[in-house]
Amino acid sequence: MPNRISRRKFLGAASTVAVSSLPWNASGESAFASATDQPPASSAATDRMVDMHVHFDEANPNFISDLLKVCNSLNLTACVLTHFPSRNIVAEAARQHPREIVPFGYVDLDAHDAVQQVEEFHALGYRGLGELEFVKKPFNDPSYLPVYELANRYAWIVLFHTGIVLRAKFNEPEDVASGRMRPIHLEEIARRFPKITVLGAHCGNPEYEWAAEIARWNPNVFFDLSGSTLTKMRGRLADFRKLFWWSGSDWGTDTPSGDDSAYVKIVFGSDVKVGEIEGVVQQYRAMFDACDVPAKTRQMIMGGTLARMLNLPG
Ligand SMILES: [Zn+2]
């Protein structure tokens, strides 16, 4: 039908009108609008990687200096996921090294003062929350909404653990369940709070199909492939084609920079000790090769998408 407007064109037109529903970056502009409207950054800037998933290690007194060395050698910016007691150390490190360190705050969603902790993270210059995990109720439980409302007001990125979670104590009871952290719960959060960029860690392991479909339909949802996902799938990396299947079609949602590759819904996250980050970079690249991910999409996955959302210095 020659006069039928394609769904992608329709979504593009609609997003121009409904721009206030899109995630907004730190400078107050839509992250996706800026990705579309701004001229491309220099190649040096676009080659910079952004790792969404670096846990601050309280047990390592040299963590910041160790991380800075890796950032310099890999040309990497790290989103450092920080527990509340370490908030000042990481805030100060981020002030001193804004090109290398972006502070993200971990809150226990079941804590009675979770909202106050989020407010304090914000006052210290934190850029988002994560990794939210070990919840006592499903992620979409109404008791957690005040934290999400605040994150929505701040237009923050929120990194959620999704899927199977470690068992810390094999012989003692613990109130932990992977089923509370299923990727399907992120859909409701993304739709109720459109200014939050909802980022799911581990791509829902093993519910990859649900994770990919939720990312497909929601412009504010992305996943990283950290954890055991790339390791356990190392012999069948081409299977990611079956999950991220809609490239070049009208069946995906609005994306950063208008990229119609399904893989642009993935971002780089390592979730390993700083000395092991480079190995995860290699694992991502092996997946790109196995799935013929286009060069411009690889750049967005490895750093471009997060750099634009966070308005990072070039
Ligand atoms: Zn996790």
Side-chain angles (χ1 to χ4, degrees):
M1 283 191 288
N3 290 330
R4 192 176 141 206
I5 186 168
S6 81
R7 214 184 62 80
R8 181 168 297 282
K9 282 189 186 132
F10 171 76
L11 279 174
S15 71
T16 310
V17 176
V19 71
S20 63
S21 68
L22 294 171
W24 294 75
N25 64 23
S27 61
E29 60 188 351
S30 160
F32 297 154
S34 70
T36 309
D37 301 340
Q38 287 178 355
S42 71
S43 70
T46 55
D47 287 342
R48 189 162 181 85
M49 294 187 289
V50 183
D51 187 340
M52 184 60 231
H53 202 137
V54 178
H55 289 279
F56 180 73
D57 182 1
E58 289 100 352
N60 177 5
N62 301 316
F63 176 83
I64 297 294
S65 60
D66 289 352
L67 177 61
L68 290 172
K69 281 181 207 148
V70 171
C71 288
N72 289 332
S73 74
L74 295 182
N75 191 22
L76 179 98
T77 299
C79 298
V80 177
L81 313 174
T82 309
H83 282 231
F84 195 67
S86 302
R87 63 195 180 284
N88 289 314
I89 299 169
V90 175
E92 181 56 30
R95 268 191 286 276
Q96 288 181 20
H97 307 282
R99 187 171 155 77
E100 287 80 16
I101 294 174
V102 182
F104 275 69
Y106 165 82
V107 291
D108 174 358
L109 287 174
D110 296 287
H112 67 91
D113 61 345
V115 166
Q116 287 86 341
Q117 289 187 27
V118 173
E119 288 171 337
E120 185 163 345
F121 275 127
H122 183 257
L124 284 168
Y126 276 67
R127 304 295 307 276
L129 295 176
E131 178 186 17
L132 304 184
E133 56 188 338
F134 297 116
V135 277
K136 298 287 183 279
K137 290 162 278 192
F139 275 142
N140 60 343
D141 190 88
S143 65
Y144 300 151
L145 297 190
V147 167
Y148 303 149
E149 281 164 5
L150 204 46
N152 192 58
R153 197 185 314 155
Y154 299 151
W156 266 356
I157 295 173
V158 181
L159 176 68
F160 294 85
H161 173 94
T162 61
I164 194 74
V165 73
L166 63 83
R167 181 167 173 183
K169 302 164 189 165
F170 284 4
N171 299 311
E172 294 175 35
E174 61 177 14
D175 187 4
V176 175
S178 307
R180 302 169 188 161
M181 298 179 278
R182 296 181 65 189
I184 196 169
H185 300 316
L186 303 193
E187 179 193 48
E188 181 181 350
I189 297 164
R191 294 186 183 198
R192 292 180 78 155
F193 302 101
K195 289 186 182 176
I196 296 179
T197 298
V198 174
L199 221 154
H202 324 302
C203 203
N205 183 20
E207 293 187 320
Y208 305 125
E209 194 153 8
W210 265 114
E213 290 299 316
I214 290 163
R216 180 166 76 87
W217 273 113
N218 294 283
N220 56 333
V221 175
F222 298 80
F223 285 90
D224 79 31
L225 303 179
S226 65
S228 52
T229 292
L230 287 168
T231 299
K232 85 178 185 189
M233 291 182 71
R234 64 193 182 284
R236 49 185 172 110
L237 289 171
D239 283 1
F240 279 98
R241 293 173 188 266
K242 299 174 190 166
L243 305 167
F244 293 88
W245 57 268
W246 59 92
S247 297
S249 74
D250 279 344
W251 294 102
T253 189
D254 209 9
T255 66
S257 65
D259 191 338
D260 66 0
S261 169
Y263 300 102
V264 84
K265 302 301 309 209
I266 297 169
V267 297
F268 177 56
S270 66
D271 193 22
V272 291
K273 292 187 184 305
V274 292
E276 299 166 4
I277 293 173
E278 188 170 9
V280 182
V281 172
Q282 300 306 332
Q283 287 184 305
Y284 266 73
R285 288 181 178 154
M287 188 279 279
F288 297 160
D289 290 344
C291 296
D292 291 327
V293 177
K296 69 176 172 37
T297 309
R298 297 181 187 210
Q299 185 276 323
M300 292 300 284
I301 293 169
M302 295 309 291
T305 297
L306 285 163
R308 292 176 187 207
M309 287 177 182
L310 290 162
N311 200 26
L312 297 181

